[in-house]
């Protein structure tokens, strides 16, 4: 399975987001990670669907929307209209996880759940048929630039085992994305533990050479 690198525009220059999106895709990124925070579910406030819609014309690459908001259902509809390709949310933020996932799937988009560091993977078991991706947070959500939580590697292995067993039964593969503190020096360890999609914010956008960082990440992934 092809590894995917998804720069998080949470770490981009907000004054020139369209240009940043174009530049990072030109530098070799596979998709754009769009962090939505509401100062309610997490203690920070970022982007709404209007920003997503404004960025949509700047790239044909998938826009991967991570909803850190509560409640989620109304915003799912808003981001579908705004051009999101993948929408993930936290199970704690939905009263009816199956229903929220169905809103995404019924619109023809890819759906996923996001697990915080202390959230059990058991929440996945009854909705595997509606998942295209599982996002494991390797930091506590709310802010960019945090350090990778080492226990995430074991959680990645456990999640990959669960999803591999489901794939054997169903023939359908579910991707695993990891978000938080991903850098050149730890991306290979995350891949070896089971991740195939990697969100990187400050590691890319704080560098002068986006292409150089992405190429270095791919070189590490090639060793796995």
């Amino acid at each position: 399975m092809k590894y995917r690198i998804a720069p998080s525009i949470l770490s981009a220059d907000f004054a020139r987001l369209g240009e940043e999106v174009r530049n990072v895709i030109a530098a070799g990124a596979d998709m754009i990670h769009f962090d939505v925070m509401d100062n309610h579910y997490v203690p920070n406030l970022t982007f709404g669907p209007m920003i997503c819609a404004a960025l949509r014309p700047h790239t044909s690459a998938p826009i991967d929307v991570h909803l850190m908001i509560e409640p989620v259902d109304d915003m799912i509809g808003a981001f579908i209209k705004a051009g999101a390709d993948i929408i993930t949310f936290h199970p704690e933020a939905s009263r009816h996880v199956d229903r929220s996932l169905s809103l995404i799937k019924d619109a023809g988009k890819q759906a996923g759940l996001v697990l915080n560091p202390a959230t059990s993977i058991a929440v996945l078991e009854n909705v595997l048929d509606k998942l295209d991706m599982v996002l494991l947070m390797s930091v506590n959500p709310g802010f960019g630039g945090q350090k990778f939580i080492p226990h995430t590697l074991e959680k990645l292995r456990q999640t990959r085992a669960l999803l591999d067993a489901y794939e054997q039964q169903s023939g359908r593969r579910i991707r695993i994305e990891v978000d938080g503190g991903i850098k050149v020096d730890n991306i290979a360890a995350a891949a070896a533990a089971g991740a195939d999609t990697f969100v990187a914010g400050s590691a890319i956008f704080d560098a002068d050479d986006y292409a150089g960082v992405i190429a270095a990440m791919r070189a590490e992934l090639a060793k796995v």
Side-chain angles (χ1 to χ4, degrees), residues 83-165:
D85 299 288
I86 305 165
I87 299 177
T88 61
F89 64 91
H90 295 253
E92 299 92 342
S94 171
R95 291 191 178 185
H96 304 285
V97 171
D98 185 273
R99 177 184 295 160
S100 298
L101 288 169
S102 293
L103 291 174
I104 303 168
K105 298 293 290 181
D106 290 349
K109 306 298 183 179
Q110 293 186 40
L113 286 181
V114 189
L115 306 188
N116 289 329
T119 302
S120 170
I121 68 171
V123 301
L124 305 174
E125 294 177 357
N126 293 316
V127 291
L128 289 170
D129 61 313
K130 289 187 171 65
L131 297 179
D132 299 290
M133 187 162 69
V134 174
L135 170 52
L136 295 190
M137 295 301 298
S138 42
V139 298
N140 286 294
F143 299 95
Q146 300 183 67
K147 292 183 178 180
F148 184 90
I149 295 174
H151 176 69
T152 307
L153 294 177
E154 176 56 29
K155 193 172 184 181
L156 279 167
R157 285 187 282 268
Q158 294 171 2
T159 305
R160 185 73 274 164
L162 172 67
L163 300 186
D164 283 350

